[in-house]
Amino acid sequence: MDALAIALGPVFVAGFALQQLLELLDPYLDPLLGARKQRVYAGIAILYGLALAAFTPIRTLKPFGIEVGWIDWILTALFISGGTKGINDLLKWLGYQKEQAKARLSEAQIQRV
């Protein structure tokens, strides 16, 4: 699990940075955007995520041994654009998968883990 956390760390950091950037810009953009704020922020977030996925080695599926090119770019962009929520949801899902796998093990196998 440590290797996975290390591999997904850049995705988390990128999402956190996006979240902080939007919070810093909010006092300035809120009066200008009005009712369009959520749509504009969503657009900024997805463009930020796509740019990072396209121009950096940050990937979401690669730590799982899955390399599917542009699909990984899109999924990475979506996770990043979700801020910290996207990566938190992924890590929660991985925790559930781990618990389900442990539930299928015998007592002897659990002792070795």
Side-chain angles (χ1 to χ4, degrees):
M1 189 67 148
D2 290 336
L4 183 62
I6 291 169
L8 292 177
V11 176
F12 177 79
V13 170
F16 182 75
L18 170 66
Q19 196 171 321
Q20 291 304 109
L21 173 66
L22 291 178
E23 283 187 35
L24 289 172
L25 293 176
D26 191 57
Y28 305 104
L29 295 180
D30 191 33
L32 298 172
L33 299 175
R36 299 176 301 153
K37 181 173 104 170
Q38 293 297 83
R39 288 180 297 193
V40 171
Y41 280 17
I44 290 170
I46 197 66
L47 288 174
Y48 171 84
L50 285 170
L52 285 178
F55 298 111
T56 70
I58 296 174
R59 298 288 178 270
T60 303
L61 296 178
K62 195 172 187 177
F64 300 104
I66 303 169
E67 295 191 38
V68 287
W70 65 271
I71 294 172
D72 200 5
W73 284 17
I74 292 171
L75 289 175
T76 300
L78 289 172
F79 270 108
I80 291 171
S81 70
T84 57
K85 184 185 181 320
I87 197 69
N88 284 336
D89 290 347
L90 175 63
L91 292 175
K92 188 184 298 183
W93 179 80
L94 288 172
Y96 293 146
Q97 296 303 312
K98 180 181 174 183
E99 292 303 316
Q100 287 177 357
K102 268 178 44 174
R104 293 188 295 261
L105 296 176
S106 68
E107 190 61 40
Q109 290 172 318
I110 292 174
Q111 295 299 323
R112 287 185 284 172
V113 176

